[in-house]
Structure formats: C-alpha cells, structure tokens
DNA sequence: TTTTTGCAAACGAACGTTCATTCGTATTCG
DNA sequence: CGAATACGAATGAACGTTCGTTTGCAAAAA
C-alpha cells in the first residue's frame, strides 16, 4: 500500500530535497513547482511563502533534536551510554531523513529575523545539554579529558557526510555504517 | 609593515569570505562590491565574472590538498604517521585559510560544466589517495579494521566545523584545539 | 453551490553583466 | 619644458533575465 500524501506534504519533501541538493538560495519556486508537477503560482494555494518552507523544516528538525536530547538526558544511564545514545540519535536522524537534516545544519542561516535568533537559541540550548553530558562524563572519568566544545563540534560534524553525501553508489548496509561510525567515535572518547 | 594588496586580491578574499558566510548563490556582486568599497560595475575591471571567482577559489584549494597528499604519500613514514600527517594537513588548511576551505567542501557544486566535472575528478583523486593509505594501514595492522570509505568521510567531515564555525567567541588556542582533534581521531583509528 | 485547486499573466525587485563615459596619472612627443 | 596621448580604474545607466509573489479566472471537487 502506497501511503497517500497531500500535495502540501509533497511540496515540503521536494523543498527539503532541493534545499539539500542546491541550497536554499539556488532553489527557485519554479524549480520546486516542477518537482511536484505544478506551476509556480499554484504552490501558493498550499504554502505561504518560500521562507515559510525553510522555517518549518528548520524548526521541525531542531525540535526533534531537542526532544531527543531531553529524553536521553533524563535517563539513569551512565554518561558514556548517554553519549552513545546521542550519537545514535544523530545517526538515526541522518539516515531516516537525509533531506531535512541539512536544513538544520546549513540552511538555517538564510532565515530572517526574528526566526533566525530563535533558531540560534534552540541550537545553543541543544549544545548546552550535550556539553553538560560530555563534561559529566569527564568528571566521572568515563571519557578522555579534553575541551568539551572541541569534542562536541567534532562529533556533530563527523556525522554530516551521511546526509551530505550525494552519491549512493552502493546501497551499503546502513546499520553497518552507523555502527562503524559509532565505534570510531566512541573509541576516540573512552578512557 | 602592512603588506599592500592589489584590488584583485582584496576582491578574491572578500568573495571567499562571503561565499563562506552567505553561500555562493546568496552573495551578490553588489554585496561583494560593497565589501571592497567599489560599485558592482567596477569589479569587472579586475575580474572576469562571478563564477570565475568561485572557480579559482575551488581549484586553488583542490590543488593545495592534492599536492599535500602527494607529498605525504611519497614519504617512508608508517601508514599511521601518514594518516596523522593528512589530518594535520586538513587542520592546517582549515585554520590558516578559514574562508576558502568552505568553497572546497560546499560551494563547488555551484560550478557549471565542464569545470564541475573537472573538480569532481580532482576530489575523487584525492579520496582515492587517502583511501589507499587507510587500507594499507589496516593491512599492516596499524589501524582498526573498518570500511575505509566510512572512515575517510568521517575524518574529513569531523574537521569541517573548524572553518565552518562562525562564532570566534574566544580566541582559543588554535594549536591546542588542533592537537585535541587529532588525538580524538587517532584514538578512534589505532589498534 | 461553495470550496478548493490550477494556471496564465503580470508585478516590482534584484540579479549578473555591459557600455559609454570620466577622471587621474603616467608616458610619449614636439 | 608643455602638449598630446595612452591607459587603468571607477561610475551611473541600462540591458535582458530571473526571482518570489499576486491577481483574476476557469475547472474540478466537495
């Protein structure tokens, strides 16, 4: 059974993919319309504006990351296990929705005020929560001591290629790749 | 003594910075002109076109990476030491020229044919050389066995935040950060 | 019938670029 | 020397094109 999508959903998915492939600025409404078999003017029967598309995509993903972080933070797991869960969260988001994550990492800068400030605040909140777990892990002797900011950004960046990589030359086993990345990062962290 | 720059050099540097901050498509010639205290039409006394700027920046960096790789590959170092040198190469490029590296990693996709194909070929060559060293390191038992592509892309991505990160809140000790990133990655690689 | 959807046409704005012209400063020539 | 010439650099105006978006109206769905 192929799940039926509303035209609005189709537009949002096509927009996310185009924003990823060409970037927000290089994506025109006429291109987007073509991707969903419409004319540009018809798009406005379903959406408000081009920036509204970007805005919704960015904030939807930001909230996914934040709620994922909060769920992990309130468990009773060890700090190392929390970090492993966070890495898994990023890997899952990257593999399950390879289009939208780029918006969260790259295209948000094309937001205009006041949403730009709002988004930056959400990102800061996320980083703060992640940093606290990293530092707690260091204080507990679970992970190698280093500048937490450096570790955080290195971890976040290292997963970017998964949704950034455009050449699906082989449908490689996603689970295997995820585990290898996780292994690699955790080996670099643990004491 | 402040070294005197030609207007052309100023334009290229401003362009690299704008391409990094706003992206190629969102950077207008009128913006760029303002950044070097000119009117848009005056830019064309010094440069050929907007895309020529992108092209030169992309290929200059691509060749820097490739020559760095070749120099490292022909040494008699162990494979692990070669990988350490490659990581250092990326860290050095990222910290010494924080503007242009983005072009190499992100903005090259806005090139048009035939330069786009040429650039992709250069990137493939680079990846091939890096992969060979990684695989040799695995065969020699120097680094942990895993899918080499996965390791390569994870390493390359993990360094991106250095030139991507826009908030120089503290002038943190660059050498310290570089060493911590290198430590983190090498710990994840070694057997 | 009322509401939703699609489209052609058109809007002002911004885009990269070209053009004729001007200004200042060297270089050449009488 | 002074006058004539050449040239690099900067500019405002305008070009054709594309941009995001609006409008008015027809067809389809409810």
């Amino acid at each position: 059974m192929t799940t039926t999508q509303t035209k609005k959903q189709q537009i949002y998915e096509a927009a996310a993919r185009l924003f990823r492939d060409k970037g927000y600025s290089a994506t025109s409404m006429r291109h987007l319309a073509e991707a969903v078999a419409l004319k540009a003017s018809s798009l406005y029967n379903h959406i408000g504006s081009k920036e509204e598309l970007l805005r919704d995509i960015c904030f939807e993903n930001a909230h996914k990351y934040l709620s994922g972080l909060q769920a992990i933070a309130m468990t009773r797991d060890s700090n190392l296990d929390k970090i492993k869960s966070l890495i898994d969260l990023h890997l899952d988001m990257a593999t399950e929705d390879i289009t939208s994550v780029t918006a969260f990492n790259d295209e948000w800068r094309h937001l205009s005020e006041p949403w730009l400030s709002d988004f930056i605040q959400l990102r800061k909140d996320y980083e703060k929560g992640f940093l606290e777990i990293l530092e707690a892990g260091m204080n507990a002797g679970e992970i190698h001591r280093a500048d937490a900011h450096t570790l955080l950004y290195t971890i976040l960046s290292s997963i970017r290629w998964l949704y950034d990589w455009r050449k699906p030359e082989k449908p490689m086993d996603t689970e295997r790749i995820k585990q290898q990345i996780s292994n690699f990062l955790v080996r670099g962290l643990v004491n």
Side-chain angles (χ1 to χ4, degrees), chain A:
Chain A
M1 184 204 77
T2 57
T3 52
T4 304
Q5 280 186 121
T6 73
K7 208 84 191 176
K8 187 169 180 175
Q9 287 173 321
Q10 289 180 40
I11 293 172
Y12 269 85
E13 290 191 12
R17 172 170 293 115
L18 285 169
F19 292 168
R20 168 179 69 108
D21 290 342
K22 310 160 72 78
Y24 175 75
S25 292
T27 298
S28 76
M29 297 303 275
R30 288 168 178 84
H31 266 125
L32 174 59
E34 197 177 359
V36 293
L38 285 182
K39 302 296 173 179
S41 56
S42 308
L43 292 174
Y44 292 86
N45 287 325
H46 306 275
I47 60 152
S49 69
K50 184 187 181 187
E51 190 174 357
E52 187 188 86
L53 289 169
L54 179 66
R55 214 157 50 216
D56 289 347
I57 292 170
C58 286
F59 281 95
E60 183 196 325
N61 281 276
H63 285 116
K64 271 192 198 167
Y65 277 107
L66 261 175
S67 62
L69 169 72
Q70 283 159 359
I72 291 167
M74 64 172 48
T75 64
R76 299 198 178 279
D77 294 348
S78 70
N79 291 296
L80 181 58
D81 280 340
K82 287 180 183 174
I83 294 170
K84 287 180 183 173
S85 297
L86 280 169
I87 292 174
D88 284 344
L89 170 66
H90 279 258
L91 289 169
D92 289 342
M93 295 264 311
T95 52
E96 285 169 16
D97 186 358
I98 61 166
T99 64
S100 309
V101 192
T102 312
F104 179 66
N105 281 276
D106 290 302
E107 303 301 326
W108 57 266
R109 58 185 164 165
H110 295 111
L111 292 171
S112 63
E113 297 292 355
W115 299 279
L116 180 60
S117 294
D118 290 348
F119 185 90
I120 290 174
Q121 187 57 50
L122 286 183
R123 248 203 94 110
K124 277 188 192 158
D125 293 346
Y126 183 79
E127 291 172 5
K128 183 159 170 282
F130 205 138
L131 284 172
E132 283 170 0
I133 295 174
L134 279 172
E135 278 159 0
M138 289 183 210
N139 291 333
E142 296 175 62
I143 71 169
H144 194 252
R145 204 165 262 294
D147 176 72
H149 281 89
T150 303
L151 291 185
L152 169 63
Y153 297 137
T154 305
I155 293 171
L156 296 192
S157 293
S158 67
I159 300 172
R160 288 217 329 204
W161 69 272
L162 255 186
Y163 36 86
D164 197 61
W165 199 240
R166 296 165 180 80
K167 184 178 41 181
E169 48 187 21
K170 302 179 204 167
M172 287 193 279
D173 183 355
T174 305
E175 284 309 314
R176 203 175 98 91
I177 292 183
K178 278 160 66 173
Q179 187 170 342
Q180 290 197 355
I181 297 176
S182 182
N183 271 352
F184 178 23
L185 295 178
V186 171
R187 286 165 58 93
L189 286 172
V190 293
N191 245 335

